[in-house]
Amino acid sequence: MIRILFLLIIIPLTCCLAQQNYPKIWNVPIHNEYFTGRTLSLSQIKDSLTVKKGAIITIAGITGIGKTQLAKRYADLNKDKYDIVWWFEGSKNLLEQYKNLAIAINRLYPVEKIAIYSPPQTLISEVKDFLRTTKLKWLLVFDNIQKT
């Protein structure tokens, strides 16, 4: 009689994330594992964002050319350079996403409390003020934002 023994090892997700040098605050959706090429575009994004703190870049183009995947890939490749990387989805409620970012900031940096239940403009202003004045390195990605 042959007995087969299966061993199941469960590693906490936080353990895995820590080994991969993810920022303390990170909510970027999983990127395409098979992403290849676009090295020039990735290099241009990196160069543009390292010029100064608070730099803004826009990746624009027609639907389906890979703008979202390019942004996800940049975030993943450069995750060790940031303390906060937050992904905003334009098709969802932005106020709720700002609130979730504020909650994450409050959890990790309790000295810098952001009033979660303040009026929408106040909440957004407090998040922006925190990011503007902190010494932390951060990246915000606004995906699927429609030009009006």
Side-chain angles (χ1 to χ4, degrees):
M1 179 179 198
I2 299 175
R3 291 187 178 182
I4 300 174
L5 176 64
F6 290 98
L7 178 62
L8 177 62
I9 300 174
I10 300 174
I11 302 172
L13 182 59
T14 54
C15 171
C16 298
L17 291 177
Q19 290 175 350
Q20 295 181 18
N21 297 324
Y22 281 88
K24 293 177 181 177
I25 297 177
W26 167 273
N27 78 330
V28 177
I30 297 172
H31 72 281
N32 181 350
E33 292 179 34
Y34 303 105
F35 184 99
T36 58
R38 311 282 295 266
T39 53
L40 178 59
S41 296
L42 290 165
S43 178
Q44 289 172 332
I45 293 169
K46 185 176 183 178
D47 292 345
S48 296
L49 291 177
T50 55
V51 170
K52 67 173 187 149
K53 181 179 178 176
I56 299 172
I57 66 163
T58 302
I59 303 172
I62 61 173
T63 303
I65 61 169
K67 300 176 298 293
T68 297
Q69 291 305 318
L70 182 63
K72 287 179 183 178
R73 183 66 175 165
Y74 172 81
D76 188 62
L77 287 173
N78 294 281
K79 62 185 172 263
D80 59 334
K81 294 172 180 58
Y82 296 100
D83 302 298
I84 299 171
V85 179
W86 198 261
W87 190 274
F88 289 89
E89 178 56 53
S91 62
K92 296 180 181 172
N93 183 323
L94 287 177
L95 178 60
E96 283 300 314
Q97 294 174 80
Y98 269 103
K99 185 183 276 190
N100 290 336
L101 174 55
I103 290 168
I105 290 169
N106 285 346
R107 189 175 301 130
L108 282 172
Y109 307 101
V111 173
E112 306 283 339
K113 282 291 185 191
I114 297 171
I116 304 296
Y117 298 106
S118 54
Q121 281 309 115
T122 304
L123 171 69
I124 292 169
S125 291
E126 286 188 22
V127 170
K128 289 179 179 179
D129 287 344
F130 171 83
L131 294 172
R132 190 177 305 112
T133 59
T134 187
K135 293 189 187 303
L136 299 171
K137 294 181 181 174
W138 50 270
L139 172 70
L140 303 182
V141 179
F142 290 84
D143 186 37
N144 202 18
I145 301 296
Q146 301 297 318
K147 183 179 178 183
T148 55

